[in-house]
């Protein structure tokens, strides 16, 4: 959905460098999900954040990966000391939520395609 | 735990022919089910979703899907394929719990032959 913005769209890093991926949710949305899509595979859940809180990071690799969603500004997915296996498309999705309601639609951004040389 | 399988990683149909993309799910609770489409180098767009109520769900671009609980299936169909339908299609499931982590299937690549 055009309302969710991700930047950069393409990112090239050498092994050992850091990658920072940004996601600006739709206006009024305070829930952000990050997914990773490896080549020829479906999307895999990584982490779910609300403003200033990590709710579920069960899909995040235990090392080198971190995510935040500060009170102000975009959500950041940070990958330290990147390796070739980190090459993938990283998508974020944002969601608004009505009180007491479940499963409101997630709107996906265009993704960041990370290439590690 | 939830999971999704999609039978056939690649499907080819002729323009004007029926499109049928298969999806089966596993869920310990009544699921919410989705179909997303992804065009090359783009994000995902929601085609349709089933939450509760009518089991035949109509979506955008002429697609529809039917939730069959007894078969744990949610197959996607379109009566007549267009060239513009060529894309990657993902079936997905989530559970109506406190938040909505979506579990995606591996995807089916649809090719439309002129």
């Amino acid at each position: 959905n055009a309302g969710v913005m991700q930047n950069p769209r393409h990112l090239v890093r050498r092994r050992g460098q850091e990658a920072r991926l940004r996601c600006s949710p739709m206006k009024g949305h305070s829930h952000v999900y990050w997914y990773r899509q490896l080549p020829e595979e479906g999307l895999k859940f990584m982490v779910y954040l609300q403003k200033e809180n990590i709710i579920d990071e069960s899909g995040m690799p235990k090392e080198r990966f971190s995510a935040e969603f500060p009170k102000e500004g975009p959500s950041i997915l940070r990958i330290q000391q990147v390796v070739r296996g980190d090459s993938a498309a990283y998508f974020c999705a944002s969601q608004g939520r009505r009180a007491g309601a479940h499963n409101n639609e997630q709107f996906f951004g265009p993704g960041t395609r990370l290439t590690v040389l | 735990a939830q999971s999704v399988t999609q039978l056939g990683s690649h499907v080819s149909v002729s323009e004007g022919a029926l499109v049928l993309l298969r999806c089966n799910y596993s869920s310990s609770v009544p699921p919410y089910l989705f179909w997303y489409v992804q065009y090359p180098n783009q994000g995902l767009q929601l085609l349709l979703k089933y939450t509760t109520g009518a089991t035949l769900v109509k979506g955008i671009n002429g697609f529809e899907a039917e939730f069959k609980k007894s078969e744990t299936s949610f197959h996607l169909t379109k009566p007549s394929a267009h060239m513009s339908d060529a894309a990657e299609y993902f079936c997905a499931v989530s559970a109506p719990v406190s938040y909505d982590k979506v579990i995606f299937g591996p995807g089916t690549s649809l090719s439309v032959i002129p």
Side-chain angles (χ1 to χ4, degrees), chain A residues 50-90:
Chain A
Q50 295 178 16
K51 285 283 188 181
E52 300 184 278
N53 287 301
I54 297 174
I55 307 302
D56 180 358
E57 55 182 349
S58 59
M60 288 262 280
K62 293 289 185 287
E63 297 178 351
R64 301 186 298 108
F65 284 72
S66 62
E68 63 178 12
F69 190 16
K71 185 176 181 180
E72 301 291 338
S75 176
I76 306 287
L77 179 67
R78 183 182 177 204
I79 311 172
Q80 296 178 292
Q81 300 175 337
V82 296
V83 301
R84 289 217 173 105
D86 297 333
S87 295
Y90 293 82

Side-chain angles (χ1 to χ4, degrees), chain B residues 4 10-11 15-17 33 39 48 52-53 58 81 98 103-104 107:
Chain B
V4 178
H10 298 277
V11 171
E15 190 175 14
L33 296 159
Y39 296 99
L48 49 81
T52 59
K58 294 187 185 297
S98 60
I103 307 298
F104 286 87

